Amino acid sequence: MAESAITNVLLCGIGGQGVLTASEILAEAAIAAGHDVKKTEVAGMAQRGGVVTSHLRFGPKIFSPAIPPGQADVLLAFELAEGLRWISHLKPSGIALVNTMRVIPPVVSTGLFSYPVDPLADIRASGTRMVPIDAGGIAKELGNARLVNSVMLGAVAGALPFAPDSVKECLVKRFSAKKPELGVLNAQAFEAGRAAAAAGAKAA
């Protein structure tokens, strides 16, 4: 099996941002596209703003869910400093889609650690192909700060080896099952994320 037939997506953020929900939706879309899918997650202290990561791999056949350092095709970072923390997991040809939102974790608030001065500049300095996404700002414009994960799903949809609309369908199905209006709202967030990623890619 050619290694290039496998797609590795690393999602990272902090508890409460919907990282794991986004990973589940991407996995559903990959399965619907006919891929074998494996994923693994770390959600330590997720309810307290702790680090959350999800490794998602799909292709003809996947034997292990963990993405080794330097092998991710896509880094989907829901928080700026977390994007910097995990940038070394990207392969040289990979792309990082980074939410520019800063969320100060408890360990910084208590003085145990320092937040990076300019994580975006540090990511750029690494030479990584990166597209910044103001997912937090877009979510607020749409009236619900919890839409960040749907914005980020829209941003990543164009970087995957299957139709972006398949991700949108899985997203809308999940939230419409709760309330039809939530499906409509999350679809709007998804499309806003797609537009932001397209604009960011042109500007990069």
Side-chain angles (χ1 to χ4, degrees):
M1 181 192 314
E3 184 68 20
S4 59
I6 296 173
T7 300
N8 298 321
V9 181
L10 177 60
L11 300 92
C12 64
I14 63 172
Q17 289 190 300
V19 173
L20 301 186
T21 297
S23 182
E24 291 170 5
I25 290 170
L26 289 179
E28 290 171 7
I31 291 171
H35 294 286
D36 184 34
V37 176
K38 295 280 189 306
K39 70 184 182 80
T40 185
E41 298 160 349
V42 174
M45 298 181 65
Q47 299 303 315
R48 299 183 183 182
V51 176
V52 178
T53 59
S54 180
H55 293 219
L56 173 65
R57 308 186 75 211
F58 53 86
K61 185 64 181 176
I62 305 297
F63 295 99
S64 171
I67 303 172
Q71 294 300 309
D73 296 283
V74 180
L75 174 65
L76 190 63
F78 285 55
E79 199 278 334
L80 192 50
E82 291 305 316
L84 175 60
R85 183 205 298 267
W86 292 98
I87 202 69
S88 63
H89 259 63
L90 263 183
K91 61 176 59 172
S93 59
I95 183 170
L97 298 152
V98 181
N99 181 12
T100 55
M101 174 188 290
R102 292 171 178 254
V103 181
I104 305 301
V107 291
V108 171
S109 300
T110 57
L112 293 175
F113 291 92
S114 298
Y115 195 93
V117 174
D118 192 345
L120 204 60
D122 292 340
I123 293 173
R124 285 197 175 101
S126 73
T128 299
R129 185 161 62 106
M130 185 266 295
V131 177
I133 308 292
D134 182 16
I138 293 171
K140 288 180 181 177
E141 285 180 7
L142 291 171
N144 189 332
R146 297 181 68 182
L147 291 170
V148 163
N149 60 349
S150 295
V151 174
M152 294 304 289
L153 281 172
V156 75
L160 303 175
F162 44 79
D165 281 347
S166 64
V167 180
K168 183 178 177 181
E169 289 172 8
C170 292
L171 172 70
V172 171
K173 181 180 178 182
R174 172 172 290 229
F175 285 99
S176 294
K178 299 178 181 178
K179 289 183 180 179
E181 56 268 32
L182 284 180
V184 173
L185 187 58
N186 281 275
Q188 292 175 340
F190 180 91
E191 291 300 337
R194 284 187 69 181
K202 287 182 180 178

